[in-house]
Structure formats: structure tokens, C-alpha cells
């Protein structure tokens, strides 16, 4: 673990960025969760990403960034992989909000820090210690308490969607780090927004074509269709920008503790906005997830025992 003063300062900045992102993520999600169920989820998600792309494009022009004329210049296969992981992660998460309480979804999603361990090893060759495996096993106990595998296969399956989203988000963080700190966050947001908006829209249109359906008339009601994703994308721009900067400034193991502020923020919004009061098993699962995933980031995911890491 590096103790260079400049590295420490950069890591602190990254942790601050992650804290901001973690607080704003559930606020953004609450607008989409509050949207009328008559609005097709995929269509709302596509519009959400389109708005974020537009905001990023305007930001490039306001800052007179060199990529403002073509935000896709220099886009490589790694950039596309990064954008697609974000697309799958957020689309899965937003879809799950139609069926899963916000506090439950946020708790399962924030286990992305544990997935960062595995993806960090595969992509960035970061070491995995014995302690990691113990922490993962303990955190999974918390996941089961929150997801509640109570014999309802459909309900349990929906509850696992945020967990899948968290895994994809962990991959997104690691790929963002691999790209390096020289990448413009606004340019990356443009690339993400365009990739996600177009791919989700194509999936939706192909789906209704196969089923022989038509686009519902609710999309012609601006207050119902446009306002929730517009507000979500505007607030989500803060969290997206902060997440990118956090990944550029600090390793995922340093960022994990701050990311669990999402659980607190999501639980408070779920209680006070949606009336999603938590039962004892869910509260216990949240506490377990907080304890073990926060501990997983302590001292770079390892413990010194006589100069030896475990």
C-alpha cells in the first residue's frame, strides 16, 4: 500500500468524490421509482441516458474541451466495454425498482465494492488475500437476509437484480480506473449516455415489434413521461461525474467505505418518501453488509501481521 503524500492526497479527494456520488445516487433513483408504472421502464431509461448525454455535451462546449466537436473521438473497445457495463448495470437497477423496495435495492447494489475485489484482480492484477474470502462469505449472509429467499422464486429473483447491477457497477469502476485519470469525465458521460440511450431504445423497439404492441399514449404526457427521468438525469449527472472522478483518483478498495453511504441515504428516502419501513431481518442484513464491506476496505484489504499480509 502506497504511503506517498501525493497519493494519499489524491486518495482523499477520490473518497470525497465517492461520498458525493453515494449520497446523490439514491436521490436520483427515487425519481425513477416514483414514475407512473404505465410508462415503459426501458423507454424511461433510454430518455434518462439521453438527457445525461445532452448535459455532458453542453458541459464540453461550456468548458471548451477539445472533444466538444466529437465526444466519440478516440473511443476504443475498452471505452465501449465500460459504457456497456454501465448500461447493463443501471438498466437492471432501474428495472428492479419497479419490484424491489428502494432501501433493499440500494443495500444489494452497494455490494459492488466486493465485486471490485475480483475484477481488480482479473483486470488490474490486484492481490486477493485470504481475508477477502472470509469477508465475502460474511457479506453474503447479509445479502440473503435482505433478499429474503422465502420460497417465492419470483420475489427472490427480483431481489437479486440489484445484486447483478452491483456486480456490473464494480466492473465499471475497475474499467474506468484502467482507462486512466487523463480521460475527461464529461466526454465519458457523453459516450456512456449515447451508448446506453441507443442500445436500450433499440431493445425496447425490437421488443414491442416482436410482441406486436405499440408505444403507449402515456409518452405524450410530458409531466408523466418526461419529468421524472429528466429530474433523475439532472441529479444523476452529479453522481455520475463524481463516480468517474472518484475512480480516477483512488483505488476501489479506498472508495468502498464511502460508497456505503448509499445504504443510509437509500434507507432514509425509502422510509420518508415511499413509506418502506424495514423489518428486523432486513435491518440486520443491512448492518452485516455495512460492517463487513466497510471492513473489507480497511488498510487496502489486508492486515499486517508482523510485516506479513493475510
Amino acid at each position: 500500500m502506497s504511503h506517498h503524500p501525493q497519493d494519499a492526497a489524491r486518495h482523499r479527494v477520490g473518497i470525497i468524490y465517492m461520498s458525493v456520488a453515494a449520497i446523490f445516487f439514491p436521490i436520483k433513483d427515487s425519481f425513477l421509482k416514483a414514475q407512473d408504472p404505465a410508462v415503459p421502464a426501458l423507454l424511461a431509461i433510454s430518455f434518462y441516458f439521453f438527457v445525461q448525454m445532452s448535459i455532458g455535451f453542453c458541459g464540453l462546449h461550456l468548458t471548451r474541451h477539445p472533444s466538444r466537436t466529437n465526444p466519440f473521438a478516440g473511443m476504443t473497445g475498452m471505452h465501449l466495454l465500460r459504457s456497456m457495463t454501465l448500461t447493463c448495470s443501471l438498466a437492471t437497477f432501474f428495472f428492479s425498482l419497479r419490484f424491489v423496495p428502494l432501501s433493499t435495492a440500494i443495500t444489494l447494489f452497494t455490494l459492488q465494492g466486493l465485486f471490485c475485489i475480483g475484477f481488480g484482480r482479473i483486470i488490474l492484477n490486484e492481490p486477493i488475500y485470504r481475508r477477502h474470502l472470509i469477508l465475502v462469505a460474511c457479506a453474503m449472509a447479509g445479502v440473503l437476509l435482505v433478499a429474503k429467499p422465502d420460497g417465492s422464486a419470483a420475489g427472490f429473483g427480483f431481489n437479486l437484480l440489484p445484486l447483478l447491477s452491483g456486480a456490473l457497477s464494480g466492473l465499471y469502476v475497475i474499467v474506468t480506473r484502467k482507462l486512466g485519470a487523463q480521460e475527461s469525465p464529461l466526454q465519458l458521460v457523453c459516450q456512456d449516455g449515447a451508448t446506453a440511450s441507443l442500445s436500450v431504445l433499440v431493445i425496447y423497439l425490437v421488443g414491442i415489434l416482436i410482441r406486436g404492441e405499440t408505444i403507449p399514449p402515456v409518452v405524450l404526457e410530458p409531466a408523466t413521461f418526461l419529468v421524472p427521468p429528466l429530474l433523475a438525469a439532472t441529479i444523476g449527472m452529479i453522481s455520475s461525474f463524481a463516480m468517474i472522478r472518484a475512480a480516477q483518483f483512488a483505488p476501489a478498495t479506498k472508495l468502498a467505505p464511502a460508497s456505503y453511504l448509499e445504504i443510509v441515504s437509500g434507507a432514509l428516502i425509502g422510509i420518508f418518501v415511499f413509506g418502506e419501513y424495514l423489518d428486523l431481518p432486513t435491518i440486520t442484513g443491512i448492518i452485516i453488509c455495512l460492517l463487513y464491506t466497510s471492513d473489507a476496505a480497511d488498510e487496502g484489504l489486508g492486515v499486517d501481521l508482523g510485516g506479513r499480509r493475510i
Side-chain angles (χ1 to χ4, degrees):
M1 189 174 86
S2 174
H3 292 280
H4 195 285
Q6 291 183 344
D7 288 341
R10 285 180 60 83
H11 293 172
R12 282 194 293 271
V13 172
I15 292 170
I16 292 172
Y17 272 121
M18 178 57 79
S19 299
V20 172
I23 292 171
F24 276 91
F25 267 133
I27 299 175
K28 168 256 297 180
D29 298 335
S30 66
F31 284 102
L32 287 178
K33 183 173 178 62
Q35 188 164 45
D36 192 326
V39 176
L42 291 178
L43 210 52
I45 293 168
S46 177
F47 182 67
Y48 166 90
F49 282 116
F50 175 79
V51 173
Q52 280 215 331
M53 178 195 69
S54 301
I55 295 174
F57 188 71
C58 291
L60 289 175
H61 278 272
L62 288 174
T63 58
R64 302 191 64 79
H65 192 272
S67 66
R68 65 186 183 276
T69 56
N70 182 14
F72 307 100
M75 189 172 181
T76 65
M78 187 63 69
H79 288 83
L80 182 60
L81 171 64
R82 177 187 167 279
S83 294
M84 289 306 300
T85 56
L86 178 66
T87 301
C88 295
S89 174
L90 291 187
T92 302
F93 185 80
F94 291 156
F95 179 77
S96 74
L97 291 179
R98 295 287 178 97
F99 310 97
V100 181
L102 183 64
S103 55
T104 299
I106 291 294
T107 299
L108 297 174
F109 176 81
T110 49
L111 287 174
Q112 62 178 301
L114 296 177
F115 290 105
C116 284
I117 298 172
F119 290 126
R121 173 63 177 176
I122 296 170
I123 298 175
L124 301 179
N125 200 32
E126 294 178 346
I128 296 180
Y129 301 105
R130 188 172 41 194
R131 187 173 183 232
H132 300 169
L133 302 178
I134 298 173
L135 291 170
V136 169
C138 293
M140 284 307 299
V143 170
L144 292 175
L145 285 172
V146 175
K148 296 183 182 65
D150 56 3
S152 173
F156 182 54
F158 283 131
N159 280 349
L160 289 183
L161 288 177
L163 187 61
L164 172 61
S165 177
L168 292 168
S169 180
L171 178 59
Y172 168 79
V173 171
I174 296 300
V175 175
T176 300
R177 279 192 57 74
K178 185 173 178 62
L179 288 178
Q182 74 280 0
E183 300 284 339
S184 164
L186 292 173
Q187 184 179 6
L188 291 177
V189 167
C190 283
Q191 295 173 359
D192 294 341
T195 302
S197 180
L198 182 59
S199 58
V200 173
L201 180 61
V202 169
I203 291 172
Y204 172 72
L205 293 177
V206 170
I208 64 172
L209 183 64
I210 293 174
R211 295 190 301 269
E213 300 174 354
T214 59
I215 298 176
V218 71
V219 301
L220 300 178
E221 302 174 14
T224 303
F225 171 57
L226 299 180
V227 173
L230 180 62
L231 293 174
T234 303
I235 296 174
M237 186 65 193
I238 300 173
S239 56
S240 295
F241 182 91
M243 172 68 87
I244 292 171
R245 295 302 284 166
Q248 292 176 334
F249 274 88
T253 53
K254 295 283 187 179
L255 302 177
S259 71
Y260 303 119
L261 287 172
E262 289 183 49
I263 297 177
V264 179
S265 179
L268 291 176
I269 293 173
I271 291 170
F272 292 107
V273 177
F274 298 105
E276 298 172 349
Y277 292 98
L278 309 179
D279 56 20
L280 182 59
T282 300
I283 294 174
T284 304
I286 288 175
I287 292 173
I288 290 174
C289 291
L290 279 171
L291 287 176
Y292 285 100
T293 49
S294 295
D295 190 46
D298 183 48
E299 293 297 323
L301 290 175
V303 176
D304 287 313
L305 292 178
R308 184 167 56 89
R309 306 284 283 182
I310 63 170

